[in-house]
Amino acid sequence: MRVVVVGAGYAGVLAANRVAGKVKAAEITVVNPRPEFVERVRLHEQVAGTGVAATPLASMLREGVDVRVGVVDKIGDGQVTLDDGGSVDFDHLVLAVGSTVAPLPGTVAVGTWEGAEEARGALAGLARGKVVTVIGGGLTGIETAAEIAYGRPDLRVRIVGPTIAASLSAGARERVRAGLDRLGVEVVEDSVERIDPGEVRLRSGSSVASDLTLWAVIGSVPDLAARSGLEVEGDGRAVVDEYLRSVSDPRIFVVGDCAAVPGARAACATALPQGAHAADTLARVMQGREPEPYSMGYVGQALSLGRRDGVLQASRRDDTVRRFYLAGRTASVVKERICRYAKYGARTATYAWLRGPK
Ligand SMILES: Cc1cc2nc3c(=O)[nH]c(=O)nc-3n(C[C@H](O)[C@H](O)[C@H](O)COP(=O)(O)OP(=O)(O)OC[C@H]3O[C@@H](n4cnc5c(N)ncnc54)[C@H](O)[C@@H]3O)c2cc1C
């Protein structure tokens, strides 16, 4: 049985390893644009030079799992075609291409490996006192601005977004602002209209000077599913059934950021259980057993504010926030452990998660 996994992020790597462990007859091929596993949750560290986000895929995948370096151009009837003209046949496919970015012209996007590398180079070339503007008030933007301020205290760092940390409780939001303030990050609550050379134009009519402007908004998914004729939501995420299979083709599982799973938030905390569940479902079907519907509940959100501070926001299983949050050094240590556990989970295919709300 030939299984092709498209995309070697959290969901894809865990799925490939778990299928390899559970379905001995499976010949598994992972297709990914580069021979490395990129820990996207560490891209802000890669940008700031405080951490490394890439690990060779060979050290992440079980023995026997093949890697084909390339970009899938189209998923056809039992075959994927690659942009280098090659193709790979499949009986089952796991679509795990994650999410991507749609940056404003004049900015460098930190949410992809290529963008993060470009941002790292640009940042390294900035002299003392230069201004870095991070666009995006969500957790990616906050982590990026904080990490740069921590790693390069000689620069002036600013974060711009209509609201900062909108997904957190009021108390945690305040704490994030205090943490940013401690790191010297200027907070501008406004929307960005456009980027002019050396300047960020804001919707309110004002503008701010900027030597390097980073785009830290994860706003879209690759159009591979739509291009391949799979049913997708308006935002391009593939529509799946309760077992995470494409409603257009039951041979195709869709997991991670690119899957339209009701109630799911784009996160590695979501991608890992989905990758595991797809592998378990495939194994069950191979053994002639009934598949079980996917169910997953959240426990919270975690963000780093540099290497010595962070915030852990508690949530209910349905991902609505509770009032409780933890901040400071302990939160920072826990956040680091979460990142390590996510990578460990993908590599070993062992990952535990809560069932979703009733
Ligand atoms: C700076 C930053 C910080 C973050 N922090 C957190 C955090 O603290 N906690 C959290 O839960 N989430 C966090 N996230 C979000 C998290 O990283 C993503 O939700 C997660 O990576 C999604 O996993 P995935 O497996 O679906 O996709 P990805 O990890 O994005 O992997 C997708 C893979 O598919 C590949 N691919 C894409 N198109 C193709 C194609 N056509 N053919 C072949 N391969 C393809 C990509 O190159 C990539 O390797 C953060 C994101 C960023 C950018």
Side-chain angles (χ1 to χ4, degrees):
M1 185 190 59
R2 296 155 305 177
V3 179
V4 171
V5 177
V6 185
Y10 293 98
V13 167
L14 191 144
N17 285 332
R18 196 138 159 150
V19 171
K22 292 197 167 196
V23 186
K24 295 296 170 213
E27 290 167 23
I28 306 160
T29 305
V30 173
V31 187
N32 197 59
R34 64 196 63 79
E36 288 99 20
F37 166 72
V38 172
E39 282 179 86
R40 276 184 92 189
V41 303
R42 291 198 193 276
L43 281 181
H44 57 296
E45 298 172 39
Q46 180 83 19
V47 169
T50 54
V52 174
T55 306
L57 258 182
S59 68
M60 291 294 294
L61 292 168
R62 274 182 181 241
E63 222 179 287
V65 175
D66 286 337
V67 176
R68 174 77 156 81
V69 175
V71 175
V72 171
D73 188 39
K74 200 157 182 197
I75 304 165
D77 184 12
Q79 188 181 65
V80 294
T81 46
L82 278 64
D83 67 351
D84 61 8
S87 63
V88 189
D89 295 338
F90 69 83
D91 300 302
H92 293 278
L93 182 125
V94 179
L95 180 60
V97 289
S99 50
T100 185
V101 290
L104 265 185
T107 66
V108 181
V110 298
T112 63
W113 172 255
E114 295 77 11
E117 278 295 87
E118 189 184 337
R120 185 169 65 95
L123 201 64
L126 284 185
R128 179 182 194 85
K130 295 285 182 188
V131 184
V132 180
T133 304
V134 176
I135 300 176
L139 303 195
T140 301
I142 295 165
E143 288 197 317
T144 303
E147 199 74 29
I148 294 171
Y150 176 85
R152 287 289 307 273
D154 58 314
L155 298 175
R156 286 173 55 204
V157 183
R158 168 193 305 128
I159 182 169
V160 182
T163 41
I164 305 299
S167 68
L168 305 185
S169 64
R173 252 194 328 263
E174 279 297 302
R175 180 57 179 78
V176 165
R177 290 185 81 114
L180 289 171
D181 195 47
R182 257 178 245 162
L183 286 163
V185 177
E186 181 196 351
V187 175
V188 177
E189 285 199 315
D190 204 337
S191 297
V192 174
E193 188 95 339
R194 66 169 196 277
I195 311 297
D196 289 337
E199 214 169 37
V200 177
R201 295 247 169 225
L202 302 171
R203 196 148 294 164
S204 61
S206 57
S207 65
V208 287
S210 184
D211 298 299
L212 174 64
T213 307
L214 302 177
W215 183 260
V217 181
I218 312 292
S220 51
V221 298
D223 64 355
L224 178 59
R227 233 178 325 122
S228 304
L230 303 182
E231 188 175 328
V232 295
E233 299 273 6
D235 60 8
R237 291 178 307 149
V239 180
V240 292
D241 65 13
E242 58 186 334
Y243 309 112
L244 304 180
R245 296 180 303 201
S246 160
V247 294
S248 311
D249 186 338
R251 293 172 296 180
I252 300 176
F253 290 90
V254 191
V255 289
D257 286 1
C258 64
V261 178
R265 157 167 58 91
C268 71
T270 311
L272 290 161
Q274 289 185 1
H277 189 82
D280 293 354
T281 302
L282 188 56
R284 279 178 163 267
V285 170
M286 298 319 314
Q287 293 156 1
R289 295 160 67 204
E290 278 298 304
E292 285 185 351
Y294 173 71
S295 174
M296 182 257 176
Y298 290 95
V299 289
Q301 301 171 54
L303 75 147
S304 58
L305 294 166
R307 295 293 88 203
R308 296 214 181 89
D309 192 12
V311 173
L312 301 175
Q313 168 70 66
S315 69
R316 299 177 191 86
R317 289 184 191 217
D318 66 1
D319 208 25
T320 55
V321 291
R322 294 181 184 276
R323 277 176 63 186
F324 179 76
Y325 70 91
L326 187 73
R329 188 67 199 236
T330 310
S332 156
V333 170
V334 173
K335 165 77 206 245
E336 174 57 28
R337 294 233 167 118
I338 291 171
C339 293
R340 288 186 195 180
Y341 178 56
K343 185 179 180 188
Y344 172 85
R347 183 168 56 76
T348 59
T350 49
Y351 191 79
W353 69 94
L354 283 181
R355 290 187 73 79
K358 294 267 181 301

